[in-house]
Amino acid sequence: MLQLRPNCECCNKDLPPESAEARICSFECTFCATCADTVLHGTCPNCGGELVVRPRRPARKLEKYPASTERVYKPQGCSGR
């Protein structure tokens, strides 16, 4: 099950579970659309994988399967490529 991490690893922008702005790689590294497109050019700085739109969990499922609250912030890896 996806963790649905709560923030962008580059700029620390909040990305709630319903956000259409969230982008992830296959390891669930999470970025906002702006950082993914303009800074990272669609490539995860951690694994080199493709960044894609993160699926949104239906609201009725969030109570039983909540999103992660653990923030990951690594701005040093997002200085541009």
Side-chain angles (χ1 to χ4, degrees):
M1 175 156 335
L2 290 176
Q3 291 180 351
L4 303 179
R5 294 178 185 169
N7 66 301
C8 174
E9 289 186 25
C10 285
C11 70
N12 209 26
K13 176 181 181 176
D14 289 337
L15 296 169
E18 69 277 3
S19 177
E21 295 288 313
R23 304 293 183 264
I24 62 171
C25 71
S26 65
F27 290 98
E28 296 187 60
C29 302
T30 304
F31 305 93
C32 69
T34 301
C35 288
D37 295 341
T38 63
V39 177
L40 303 172
H41 307 288
T43 302
C44 178
N46 302 319
C47 70
E50 176 185 21
L51 295 174
V52 298
V53 175
R54 179 179 74 188
R56 292 180 293 265
R57 186 165 298 149
R60 67 185 184 281
K61 297 289 186 180
L62 282 170
E63 187 172 317
K64 186 173 181 179
Y65 305 103
S68 174
T69 58
E70 181 181 342
R71 297 180 80 86
V72 177
Y73 182 47
K74 300 188 222 175
Q76 68 280 4
C78 299
S79 59
R81 300 183 57 88

